[in-house]
Coordinates of all heavy atoms in Angstrom, one line a residue:
M275 N 8.7 -23.7 7.1 CA 8.2 -23.5 5.8 C 6.7 -23.8 5.8 O 6.4 -25.0 6.0 CB 9.1 -24.3 4.8 CG 8.5 -24.3 3.5 SD 10.0 -24.6 2.3 CE 9.7 -23.4 1.1
P276 N 5.9 -23.0 5.2 CA 4.5 -23.4 5.1 C 4.2 -24.4 4.1 O 5.0 -24.5 3.1 CB 3.9 -22.0 4.7 CG 5.0 -21.2 4.2 CD 6.2 -21.7 4.9
R277 N 3.2 -25.2 4.3 CA 2.8 -26.3 3.4 C 2.1 -25.8 2.2 O 1.5 -24.7 2.3 CB 2.0 -27.3 4.1 CG 2.7 -28.0 5.2 CD 1.6 -29.0 5.8 NE 2.3 -29.6 6.9 CZ 2.8 -30.9 6.7 NH1 2.8 -31.5 5.7 NH2 3.4 -31.5 7.8
V278 N 2.3 -26.4 1.1 CA 1.7 -26.0 -0.1 C 0.4 -26.8 -0.3 O 0.3 -28.0 -0.1 CB 2.5 -26.3 -1.4 CG1 1.8 -25.9 -2.7 CG2 3.8 -25.5 -1.3
D279 N -0.7 -26.1 -0.6 CA -2.0 -26.8 -0.7 C -2.0 -27.6 -1.9 O -1.9 -27.1 -3.0 CB -3.1 -25.7 -0.8 CG -4.5 -26.2 -1.0 OD1 -4.7 -27.5 -0.8 OD2 -5.5 -25.5 -1.4
A280 N -2.2 -29.0 -1.8 CA -2.2 -29.9 -2.8 C -3.3 -29.8 -3.8 O -3.2 -30.1 -4.9 CB -2.2 -31.3 -2.3
G281 N -4.4 -29.2 -3.4 CA -5.6 -28.9 -4.2 C -5.4 -27.7 -5.2 O -6.2 -27.6 -6.0
D282 N -4.4 -26.9 -4.9 CA -4.3 -25.7 -5.6 C -3.0 -25.8 -6.4 O -1.9 -25.7 -6.0 CB -4.2 -24.4 -4.7 CG -4.2 -23.1 -5.5 OD1 -4.3 -23.2 -6.8 OD2 -4.0 -22.1 -4.8
P283 N -3.0 -25.9 -7.8 CA -1.8 -26.2 -8.5 C -0.9 -24.9 -8.6 O 0.3 -24.9 -8.9 CB -2.3 -26.6 -9.9 CG -3.7 -26.0 -10.0 CD -4.3 -26.0 -8.5
L284 N -1.5 -23.8 -8.2 CA -0.7 -22.5 -8.3 C -0.4 -22.0 -6.9 O 0.2 -20.9 -6.8 CB -1.5 -21.4 -9.1 CG -1.8 -21.7 -10.5 CD1 -2.7 -20.5 -11.1 CD2 -0.5 -22.0 -11.4
A285 N -0.5 -22.7 -5.9 CA -0.2 -22.4 -4.5 C 1.2 -22.0 -4.3 O 1.5 -21.0 -3.6 CB -0.6 -23.4 -3.5
A286 N 2.2 -22.7 -5.1 CA 3.6 -22.4 -4.9 C 4.0 -21.0 -5.3 O 4.9 -20.3 -5.1 CB 4.3 -23.5 -5.6
Y287 N 3.1 -20.4 -6.2 CA 3.5 -19.1 -6.8 C 2.7 -17.9 -6.2 O 2.9 -16.8 -6.5 CB 3.1 -19.1 -8.3 CG 4.0 -20.2 -9.1 CD1 3.3 -21.4 -9.3 CD2 5.2 -20.1 -9.4 CE1 4.0 -22.5 -10.0 CE2 5.9 -21.0 -10.0 CZ 5.3 -22.2 -10.3 OH 5.9 -23.1 -11.0
G288 N 1.8 -18.3 -5.2 CA 1.1 -17.4 -4.4 C 2.0 -16.2 -3.8 O 1.6 -15.1 -3.6
K289 N 3.1 -16.8 -3.2 CA 3.9 -15.8 -2.5 C 4.4 -14.7 -3.4 O 4.7 -13.6 -2.9 CB 5.1 -16.5 -2.0 CG 6.0 -15.6 -1.2 CD 7.2 -16.5 -0.6 CE 8.1 -15.6 0.3 NZ 9.3 -16.3 0.9
R290 N 4.7 -15.0 -4.7 CA 5.1 -13.9 -5.6 C 4.2 -12.8 -5.8 O 4.5 -11.6 -6.2 CB 5.4 -14.5 -6.9 CG 6.5 -15.5 -6.9 CD 6.9 -16.1 -8.3 NE 7.8 -17.1 -8.2 CZ 8.3 -17.9 -9.2 NH1 7.7 -17.5 -10.5 NH2 9.1 -18.8 -9.1
R291 N 2.9 -13.0 -5.6 CA 1.9 -12.0 -5.7 C 1.6 -11.2 -4.6 O 0.9 -10.3 -4.5 CB 0.6 -12.6 -6.3 CG 0.9 -13.2 -7.6 CD -0.5 -13.7 -8.2 NE -1.4 -12.5 -8.2 CZ -2.0 -12.1 -9.2 NH1 -2.0 -12.7 -10.3 NH2 -3.0 -11.0 -9.1
R292 N 2.1 -11.6 -3.4 CA 1.9 -10.8 -2.2 C 2.7 -9.5 -2.3 O 3.9 -9.5 -2.7 CB 2.4 -11.6 -1.0 CG 1.4 -12.6 -0.5 CD 1.5 -13.2 0.8 NE 3.0 -13.2 1.3 CZ 3.7 -14.2 1.7 NH1 3.1 -15.4 1.8 NH2 4.9 -14.1 2.1
A293 N 2.1 -8.4 -1.7 CA 2.9 -7.2 -1.6 C 4.1 -7.3 -0.6 O 4.1 -8.1 0.2 CB 1.9 -6.1 -1.1
P294 N 5.1 -6.5 -1.1 CA 6.3 -6.6 -0.2 C 5.9 -6.3 1.3 O 5.3 -5.3 1.6 CB 7.2 -5.6 -0.8 CG 6.8 -5.4 -2.1 CD 5.3 -5.8 -2.1
M295 N 6.3 -7.1 2.2 CA 6.1 -6.8 3.6 C 4.6 -6.7 4.0 O 4.1 -6.1 4.8 CB 6.9 -5.6 4.2 CG 8.3 -5.7 3.8 SD 9.5 -5.0 5.0 CE 8.8 -4.8 6.5
D296 N 3.8 -7.2 3.1 CA 2.3 -7.3 3.1 C 1.7 -5.9 3.3 O 0.7 -5.7 3.9 CB 1.9 -8.1 4.3 CG 2.1 -9.6 3.9 OD1 2.0 -10.0 2.8 OD2 2.3 -10.4 4.9
D297 N 2.3 -4.9 2.8 CA 1.8 -3.5 2.6 C 1.1 -3.4 1.3 O 1.7 -3.2 0.3 CB 2.9 -2.4 2.7 CG 3.5 -2.3 4.0 OD1 2.9 -2.6 5.0 OD2 4.7 -1.8 4.2
H298 N -0.3 -3.4 1.4 CA -1.0 -3.3 0.2 C -1.3 -1.9 -0.2 O -1.6 -1.6 -1.4 CB -2.4 -4.1 0.3 CG -2.2 -5.6 0.5 ND1 -1.9 -6.4 -0.6 CD2 -2.1 -6.4 1.6 CE1 -1.7 -7.6 -0.2 NE2 -1.8 -7.7 1.1
R299 N -1.2 -1.0 0.6 CA -1.4 0.4 0.4 C -0.1 1.2 1.1 O 0.4 0.8 2.1 CB -2.6 1.0 1.0 CG -3.9 0.5 0.4 CD -5.1 1.1 1.1 NE -6.1 1.2 0.3 CZ -7.3 1.8 0.6 NH1 -7.4 2.5 1.9 NH2 -8.3 1.8 -0.1
R300 N 0.4 2.1 0.3 CA 1.4 2.9 0.9 C 1.4 4.3 0.3 O 0.7 4.7 -0.6 CB 2.9 2.4 0.5 CG 3.3 2.4 -1.0 CD 4.6 1.7 -1.2 NE 4.9 2.0 -2.6 CZ 6.0 1.5 -3.0 NH1 6.7 0.7 -2.4 NH2 6.3 1.7 -4.4
H301 N 2.1 5.2 1.0 CA 2.2 6.6 0.6 C 3.7 7.0 0.5 O 4.6 6.6 1.2 CB 1.3 7.6 1.5 CG 1.9 7.6 2.9 ND1 2.8 8.4 3.4 CD2 1.5 6.9 3.9 CE1 3.1 8.2 4.6 NE2 2.3 7.2 5.0
R302 N 3.9 8.1 -0.4 CA 5.2 8.6 -0.6 C 5.2 10.0 -0.7 O 4.0 10.6 -1.3 CB 5.8 8.0 -1.9 CG 5.9 6.6 -2.0 CD 7.3 6.1 -1.8 NE 7.4 4.7 -1.9 CZ 8.1 3.9 -1.2 NH1 8.8 4.5 -0.2 NH2 8.2 2.6 -1.4
P303 N 6.0 10.8 -0.2 CA 6.0 12.3 -0.5 C 6.1 12.6 -1.9 O 6.6 11.9 -2.8 CB 7.3 12.8 0.1 CG 7.6 11.7 1.1 CD 7.3 10.5 0.7
L304 N 5.2 13.6 -2.4 CA 5.0 13.8 -3.9 C 6.3 14.4 -4.4 O 6.7 14.0 -5.6 CB 3.9 14.8 -4.0 CG 3.2 14.8 -5.4 CD1 2.7 13.5 -5.7 CD2 2.0 15.9 -5.3
H305 N 7.1 15.1 -3.7 CA 8.3 15.7 -4.3 C 9.5 15.0 -3.7 O 10.7 15.6 -3.8 CB 8.3 17.1 -4.0 CG 7.1 17.8 -4.6 ND1 7.0 18.0 -5.9 CD2 6.0 18.4 -4.0 CE1 5.7 18.6 -6.1 NE2 5.2 18.9 -4.9
G306 N 9.5 13.7 -3.2 CA 10.6 13.0 -2.8 C 11.0 13.4 -1.3 O 10.2 14.1 -0.7
G307 N 12.0 12.6 -0.9 CA 12.5 12.9 0.6 C 11.8 11.9 1.4 O 11.2 10.9 1.0
G308 N 12.3 12.0 2.7 CA 11.8 11.1 3.7 C 10.3 11.2 4.0 O 9.7 12.3 3.9
G309 N 9.6 10.1 4.3 CA 8.2 10.2 4.5 C 7.8 10.8 5.8 O 6.7 11.3 5.8
H310 N 8.7 11.0 6.7 CA 8.4 11.6 8.0 C 8.6 13.1 8.0 O 8.2 13.8 8.8 CB 9.1 11.0 9.1 CG 10.6 11.1 9.1 ND1 11.3 10.6 8.0 CD2 11.4 11.9 9.7 CE1 12.6 10.9 8.2 NE2 12.7 11.7 9.1
L311 N 9.3 13.6 6.9 CA 9.7 14.9 6.8 C 8.6 15.7 6.2 O 7.8 15.3 5.3 CB 11.0 15.1 6.0 CG 12.2 14.4 6.5 CD1 13.4 14.6 5.6 CD2 12.6 15.0 8.0
R312 N 8.5 17.1 6.5 CA 7.5 17.9 5.9 C 6.1 17.3 5.7 O 5.6 17.0 4.8 CB 7.9 18.3 4.5 CG 9.3 19.1 4.5 CD 9.7 19.6 3.2 NE 9.8 18.5 2.1 CZ 10.9 17.7 1.8 NH1 11.8 17.8 2.6 NH2 10.8 16.8 0.9
P313 N 5.4 17.2 7.0 CA 4.2 16.4 7.1 C 3.0 17.2 6.5 O 2.0 16.6 6.2 CB 3.9 16.2 8.6 CG 4.8 17.3 9.2 CD 6.0 17.5 8.3
D314 N 3.2 18.5 6.2 CA 2.1 19.2 5.6 C 2.2 19.3 4.0 O 1.3 19.9 3.3 CB 2.2 20.7 6.0 CG 2.0 20.9 7.6 OD1 1.2 20.0 8.0 OD2 2.6 21.8 8.1
E315 N 3.2 18.6 3.5 CA 3.2 18.5 2.0 C 2.3 17.3 1.5 O 2.1 16.4 2.1 CB 4.6 18.3 1.5 CG 5.5 19.6 1.8 CD 6.9 19.5 1.2 OE1 7.2 18.6 0.5 OE2 7.6 20.5 1.4
P316 N 2.0 17.3 0.1 CA 1.1 16.3 -0.5 C 1.8 14.9 -0.6 O 3.1 14.9 -0.6 CB 0.8 16.8 -1.8 CG 1.5 18.0 -2.0 CD 2.1 18.5 -0.8
R317 N 1.0 13.9 -0.6 CA 1.6 12.5 -0.7 C 0.9 11.8 -1.8 O -0.3 12.1 -2.2 CB 1.2 11.7 0.6 CG 1.6 12.4 1.9 CD 3.2 12.2 2.1 NE 3.3 12.7 3.4 CZ 4.5 13.2 3.7 NH1 5.5 13.4 2.8 NH2 4.8 13.7 4.9
A318 N 1.8 11.1 -2.6 CA 1.2 10.2 -3.5 C 0.8 8.9 -2.8 O 1.5 8.3 -2.1 CB 2.3 9.9 -4.7
L319 N -0.3 8.4 -3.2 CA -0.9 7.2 -2.7 C -0.7 6.0 -3.8 O -1.0 6.2 -4.9 CB -2.4 7.4 -2.4 CG -2.7 8.4 -1.4 CD1 -4.3 8.6 -1.3 CD2 -2.0 8.3 -0.1
E320 N -0.3 4.8 -3.3 CA -0.1 3.7 -4.2 C -0.7 2.5 -3.6 O -0.7 2.3 -2.4 CB 1.4 3.5 -4.5 CG 2.2 4.7 -4.9 CD 3.6 4.5 -5.0 OE1 4.2 3.8 -4.2 OE2 4.4 5.1 -5.9
E321 N -1.3 1.7 -4.5 CA -2.0 0.5 -4.0 C -1.4 -0.7 -4.8 O -1.0 -0.7 -5.9 CB -3.4 0.6 -4.4 CG -4.4 -0.2 -3.4 CD -5.7 0.3 -3.4 OE1 -6.2 1.0 -4.3 OE2 -6.5 0.0 -2.5
W322 N -1.2 -1.9 -4.1 CA -0.6 -3.1 -4.8 C -1.6 -3.7 -5.5 O -2.8 -4.0 -5.2 CB -0.3 -4.0 -3.5 CG 0.3 -5.4 -4.0 CD1 -0.1 -6.5 -4.1 CD2 1.8 -5.5 -4.6 NE1 0.7 -7.5 -4.6 CE2 2.0 -6.8 -5.0 CE3 2.7 -4.5 -4.8 CZ2 3.1 -7.3 -5.5 CZ3 3.9 -5.0 -5.4 CH2 4.2 -6.4 -5.6
N323 N -1.5 -4.1 -6.9 CA -2.4 -4.6 -7.7 C -2.1 -6.1 -7.9 O -2.7 -6.8 -8.8 CB -2.4 -3.9 -9.1 CG -1.2 -4.2 -9.8 OD1 -0.3 -4.9 -9.6 ND2 -1.1 -3.4 -10.9
G324 N -1.2 -6.8 -7.2 CA -0.9 -8.2 -7.4 C 0.5 -8.4 -8.1 O 1.0 -9.5 -8.0
F325 N 1.0 -7.3 -8.7 CA 2.3 -7.5 -9.4 C 3.2 -6.3 -9.1 O 4.3 -6.4 -9.0 CB 2.1 -7.4 -10.9 CG 1.2 -8.7 -11.4 CD1 0.0 -8.5 -11.7 CD2 1.9 -10.0 -11.5 CE1 -0.8 -9.6 -12.1 CE2 1.2 -11.0 -11.9 CZ -0.2 -11.0 -12.2
S326 N 2.6 -5.1 -8.9 CA 3.4 -3.9 -8.5 C 2.5 -2.8 -8.0 O 1.2 -3.0 -8.0 CB 4.1 -3.4 -9.8 OG 3.1 -2.9 -10.8
Y327 N 3.0 -1.7 -7.4 CA 2.3 -0.7 -6.8 C 1.9 0.2 -8.0 O 2.7 0.4 -8.9 CB 3.1 0.1 -5.8 CG 3.3 -0.6 -4.5 CD1 4.5 -1.3 -4.2 CD2 2.3 -0.6 -3.6 CE1 4.6 -1.9 -3.1 CE2 2.3 -1.2 -2.4 CZ 3.6 -1.9 -2.1 OH 3.7 -2.5 -0.9
E328 N 0.7 0.7 -8.0 CA 0.2 1.6 -9.0 C -0.5 2.8 -8.4 O -0.9 2.7 -7.3 CB -0.9 1.0 -9.9 CG -2.1 0.4 -9.1 CD -3.0 -0.3 -10.2 OE1 -2.6 -0.7 -11.2 OE2 -4.2 -0.6 -9.6
P329 N -0.3 4.0 -9.0 CA -0.9 5.2 -8.4 C -2.5 5.0 -8.1 O -3.2 4.5 -8.8 CB -0.8 6.3 -9.4 CG 0.3 5.6 -10.3 CD 0.2 4.2 -10.3
A330 N -2.8 5.5 -6.9 CA -4.3 5.4 -6.6 C -4.7 6.8 -6.1 O -6.0 6.9 -5.8 CB -4.4 4.5 -5.3
G331 N -3.9 7.8 -6.2 CA -4.5 9.2 -5.9 C -3.4 10.0 -5.1 O -2.3 9.6 -5.0
T332 N -3.9 11.1 -4.5 CA -3.0 11.9 -3.7 C -3.7 12.2 -2.4 O -5.0 12.1 -2.2 CB -2.7 13.2 -4.4 OG1 -3.8 13.9 -4.8 CG2 -1.9 13.0 -5.7
A333 N -3.0 12.6 -1.4 CA -3.5 13.0 -0.1 C -2.9 14.5 0.1 O -1.7 14.8 -0.2 CB -3.2 12.0 1.0
A334 N -3.5 15.3 0.8 CA -3.2 16.7 1.0 C -1.9 16.8 2.0 O -1.1 17.6 2.0 CB -4.2 17.6 1.6
N335 N -1.9 15.8 2.9 CA -0.8 15.8 3.9 C -0.5 14.4 4.5 O -1.3 13.4 4.2 CB -1.1 16.8 5.0 CG -2.4 16.6 5.7 OD1 -2.9 15.5 5.8 ND2 -3.2 17.7 5.8
L336 N 0.4 14.3 5.4 CA 0.7 13.0 6.0 C -0.4 12.4 6.7 O -0.7 11.1 6.6 CB 2.1 13.2 6.9 CG 2.5 11.9 7.7 CD1 2.8 10.8 6.6 CD2 3.7 12.4 8.4
P337 N -1.0 13.1 7.7 CA -2.2 12.5 8.4 C -3.2 12.0 7.5 O -3.8 10.9 7.7 CB -2.7 13.6 9.3 CG -1.6 14.6 9.4 CD -0.9 14.5 8.2
E338 N -3.7 12.6 6.5 CA -4.7 12.1 5.5 C -4.1 10.8 4.9 O -4.9 9.8 4.6 CB -5.1 13.1 4.5 CG -6.0 14.1 5.0 CD -6.5 15.0 3.9 OE1 -6.5 14.7 2.7 OE2 -7.0 16.3 4.3
A339 N -2.8 10.8 4.5 CA -2.3 9.6 3.8 C -2.3 8.5 4.7 O -2.6 7.3 4.3 CB -0.8 10.0 3.3
Q340 N -1.9 8.7 6.0 CA -2.0 7.6 7.0 C -3.3 7.0 7.2 O -3.5 5.9 7.4 CB -1.3 8.1 8.3 CG 0.2 8.4 8.3 CD 0.7 8.9 9.5 OE1 0.0 9.8 10.2 NE2 1.9 8.7 9.8
L341 N -4.4 7.9 7.2 CA -5.7 7.4 7.3 C -6.0 6.6 6.1 O -6.6 5.5 6.3 CB -6.7 8.5 7.4 CG -6.7 9.4 8.7 CD1 -7.6 10.6 8.6 CD2 -7.2 8.5 9.9
W342 N -5.7 6.9 4.9 CA -6.0 6.1 3.7 C -5.3 4.8 3.8 O -5.9 3.8 3.4 CB -5.5 6.9 2.5 CG -5.9 6.1 1.3 CD1 -7.0 6.1 0.5 CD2 -4.9 5.4 0.4 NE1 -6.8 5.2 -0.6 CE2 -5.5 4.8 -0.5 CE3 -3.6 5.1 0.7 CZ2 -4.9 4.1 -1.5 CZ3 -2.9 4.2 -0.3 CH2 -3.6 3.7 -1.3
V343 N -4.0 4.8 4.3 CA -3.2 3.5 4.3 C -4.0 2.6 5.2 O -4.0 1.3 5.0 CB -1.8 3.8 4.8 CG1 -1.1 2.5 5.2 CG2 -1.0 4.4 3.6
N344 N -4.5 3.1 6.3 CA -5.2 2.2 7.3 C -6.6 1.9 6.9 O -7.4 1.4 7.7 CB -5.2 2.9 8.7 CG -3.8 3.0 9.2 OD1 -3.0 2.1 9.0 ND2 -3.3 4.1 9.8
G345 N -7.1 2.4 5.8 CA -8.5 2.0 5.2 C -9.6 2.9 5.8 O -10.7 2.6 5.8
I346 N -9.2 4.1 6.3 CA -10.2 5.0 6.8 C -10.3 6.3 5.8 O -9.4 6.8 5.2 CB -9.7 5.6 8.2 CG1 -9.6 4.5 9.2 CG2 -10.8 6.5 8.6 CD1 -9.0 4.7 10.5
D347 N -11.6 6.5 5.4 CA -11.9 7.7 4.6 C -11.7 8.9 5.3 O -12.3 9.3 6.3 CB -13.3 7.6 4.2 CG -13.8 8.7 3.2 OD1 -12.8 9.4 2.7 OD2 -14.9 8.8 2.9
P348 N -10.6 9.8 4.8 CA -10.3 10.9 5.5 C -11.4 12.0 5.6 O -11.5 12.7 6.6 CB -9.1 11.6 4.7 CG -8.6 10.4 3.8 CD -9.7 9.5 3.7
G349 N -12.4 12.0 4.7 CA -13.5 12.9 4.8 C -14.4 12.6 5.8 O -15.0 13.5 6.5
T350 N -14.7 11.3 6.1 CA -15.7 11.0 7.1 C -15.2 10.4 8.3 O -15.9 10.3 9.4 CB -16.8 9.9 6.4 OG1 -16.0 8.7 6.1 CG2 -17.3 10.6 5.3
G351 N -14.0 9.9 8.3 CA -13.4 9.1 9.5 C -13.9 7.8 9.7 O -13.7 7.1 10.7
T352 N -14.5 7.2 8.6 CA -15.1 5.7 8.8 C -14.3 4.9 7.8 O -13.7 5.4 6.9 CB -16.6 5.8 8.4 OG1 -16.8 6.1 7.1 CG2 -17.4 6.7 9.5
A353 N -14.4 3.6 8.1 CA -13.6 2.7 7.1 C -14.2 2.7 5.8 O -15.4 2.8 5.5 CB -13.9 1.2 7.7
S354 N -13.3 2.8 4.8 CA -13.6 3.0 3.4 C -13.9 1.7 2.7 O -14.6 1.7 1.7 CB -12.6 3.8 2.6 OG -11.4 3.0 2.7
K355 N -13.5 0.6 3.2 CA -13.7 -0.8 2.6 C -14.4 -1.7 3.6 O -14.2 -1.8 4.7 CB -12.4 -1.3 2.1 CG -12.0 -0.6 0.9 CD -10.8 -1.3 0.3 CE -10.4 -0.6 -1.0 NZ -9.3 -1.3 -1.8

């Protein structure tokens, strides 16, 4: 069990604000179904805001969505952040 920082009174509640499985960005098929199926269909992009996932945009297909999740700008191929 990790230690709680005595200098931070809210440290015990920090775990609640972490994204599930530490995925801060994720993508889902726009029309439902498995994420690996129909790789040419559009994807909904979602970003963790500290409490829940919120819509962040769309991607034209699975490869573009995967680039976005990894922090790479699909248009230029460079890191977006």
Side-chain angles (χ1 to χ4, degrees):
M275 174 154 224
R277 294 181 183 261
V278 176
D279 181 14
D282 184 5
L284 299 177
Y287 301 100
K289 183 178 179 183
R290 294 181 187 177
R291 294 193 54 134
R292 284 197 328 238
M295 305 213 24
D296 290 328
D297 283 336
H298 295 279
R299 290 179 159 192
R300 70 179 184 185
H301 62 86
R302 304 255 185 223
L304 203 55
H305 302 291
H310 63 289
L311 300 175
R312 298 183 307 271
D314 296 330
E315 291 189 4
R317 307 285 185 210
L319 306 176
E320 301 174 331
E321 207 162 17
W322 184 255
N323 67 7
F325 297 100
S326 64
Y327 284 101
E328 60 184 15
T332 58
N335 53 36
L336 179 59
E338 284 186 17
Q340 290 172 332
L341 287 173
W342 180 82
V343 166
N344 293 322
I346 300 172
D347 182 10
T350 64
T352 60
S354 62
K355 286 189 177 182

